Structures are given as structure tokens and as C-alpha cells.
Amino acid sequence: MISIKSPREIDFLRQAGEITGKTHIYLQKFIKPGISTEKLDALAYAFIISEGATPSFLNYDGFPGSICVSINDEVVHGIPSSRILKEGDIVSIDIGACYHGYHGDSAWTYPVGKVSKEKEMLLYHTEKSLWEGLSQIKEGAYIGDIGNAVESYAVEHGLSVVKELVGHGVGSNIHEEPDVPNYGRKGMGIKLKKGMVIAVEPMLNLGTADVCILEDGWTIVTEDERESAHFEHTVLVTENGYEVLTKR
Ligand code: MG
Ligand code: MG
């Protein structure tokens, strides 16, 4: 069932989203060559707790980190570790914060120091594809409109769309119905209603769209080991558009 959020629920989702966005802004200044991904995880944990929230991903299905940290060819669900960020890497940070039982979910891919032109373009266009998808959202639009816009934009710019992982509804569970794929046809899928809250999260690759999972049982990587980027916002569907809940 797809839930329509009450004003009270929207208020908590707005606060959870705000904490999620603030955690990104806080972490961003530490993303430099020489820092370990577990240090970023510890910083995020402390920050989220200090805001009166809890990290949504910690122990989710047994996930061991507070955030997901995915480097270069890692698409999503990278486990924080002693691995050190290097100049020229790109790093996707996925953050969820739970406030009074409601979640915010937002991912962003950051350059580590100076990165290649190619990686710069990947980040630029993946973020743009998120905004293209979001621009379709309003009461009466279809889920397929979002995916169609993301995919058309990606293809137009020579990037491939990961299809195994999709966006989702957000509420008192971090992953709720409906699925929000980054591909699709206009006018297809469920119709959006005001009061729905969804996470739109394109994952675009420089090379092949194919992905596989590492032996750790979590980390999703590209099959051809080329880079991947991930940008995500949680938004509220409104009568004439959308409101970004995970503002940064
Ligand atoms: Mg996320
Ligand atoms: Mg998500």
C-alpha cells in the first residue's frame, strides 16, 4: 500500500530530511585525500545523534555502518572501513536519519580533491538527471514520467542507468512502496498523489549498466569497474510540484 502522509507525519519527515541534509553539509568538509571511510562513518554517527536522530542504515538488515560509502566503481552500499580516500577518487555517501520514527534518505557523490574531467562530467550529469526526474513530480503525474526523464537525460549524455536498484517511498520505514525506477515510459506506473513521499535516486555509470555484488554481501560494483555516481533526494509530492525534504 502506498501511504499518503498526514500533516503530522510530514512534519516529522521534514525534520528527518533536514537532519539528513545537514549531515551531508557537515561531512562534506571532511571529504579529502587521507581520511578513512570509517572516520567519515563515525563523524556521521556522532552528528546524527547530536541532532536527536538515529542513523537509518545502522543494523538495517544487518548493515554494519551508519552511512554507505561507495568509492569509484562501487555503486551503492559500500561498508565503511579503514580504506583511505585518495586524490582523484569519487565517493558516494548515502545518509539516512530517523527522527521520531520517520526517515530522510539522501545520497550525493563527491570529488576527492581534483578529479578527471570524465569523472567531473559523470557527477555533473548524474546530479542533473536527478533534477530532471524531480521536475516531473506533481499530483497526477506518473512514476514512469520520473524514470523516463532520468533515463532520457542519461542516455543523451552517454551514461548508462543502473536498473537493479531503484528509488522508493519513504515514511516510518526507510524503504516503502512504491518503487521509483530510473527508467520507464511516460504515463506508466502508479499515479502520484499529494502527500506521498518518495526518494528519487539515479545511479549512473560511465561504462556498462551491469552491476554485481562483492563477497561482503553488500557492496554493489560495476561489472566493468568503471565509475558510478549516485544522487538522491527525498521529496514530498505537492499539488503543483514537489518539496525537497533533504535540502542541503
Ligand atoms: Mg539513500
Ligand atoms: Mg534511497
Side-chain angles (χ1 to χ4, degrees), residues 47-120:
F47 187 85
I48 292 168
I49 297 293
S50 76
E51 292 286 318
T54 52
S56 304
F57 303 146
L58 186 59
N59 299 322
Y60 182 89
D61 278 346
F63 187 76
S66 292
I67 56 174
C68 301
V69 187
S70 311
I71 305 170
N72 296 332
D73 64 325
E74 298 174 351
V75 182
V76 287
H77 305 163
I79 300 174
S81 71
S82 56
R83 185 166 170 188
I84 303 285
L85 296 182
K86 295 193 313 289
E87 176 92 17
D89 284 342
I90 56 172
V91 61
S92 300
I93 309 268
D94 199 347
I95 300 175
C98 180
Y99 185 76
H100 286 268
Y102 290 86
H103 298 270
D105 188 7
S106 177
W108 218 257
T109 305
Y110 300 93
V112 180
K114 178 109 185 92
V115 304
S116 69
K117 272 264 148 358
E118 197 179 38
K119 289 182 191 174
E120 238 170 52

Side-chain angles (χ1 to χ4, degrees), residues 186-208:
K186 271 185 188 294
M188 300 296 282
I190 66 121
K191 210 180 211 181
L192 298 174
K193 293 199 183 83
K194 85 175 180 196
M196 286 181 183
V197 173
I198 57 172
V200 179
E201 48 179 315
M203 287 148 259
L204 304 187
N205 299 347
L206 275 179
T208 177

Side-chain angles (χ1 to χ4, degrees), residues 131-150:
W131 295 109
E132 289 291 314
L134 293 175
S135 72
Q136 301 298 312
I137 297 176
K138 62 178 180 192
E139 166 138 297
Y142 293 85
I143 285 285
D145 300 345
I146 301 171
N148 183 266
V150 170

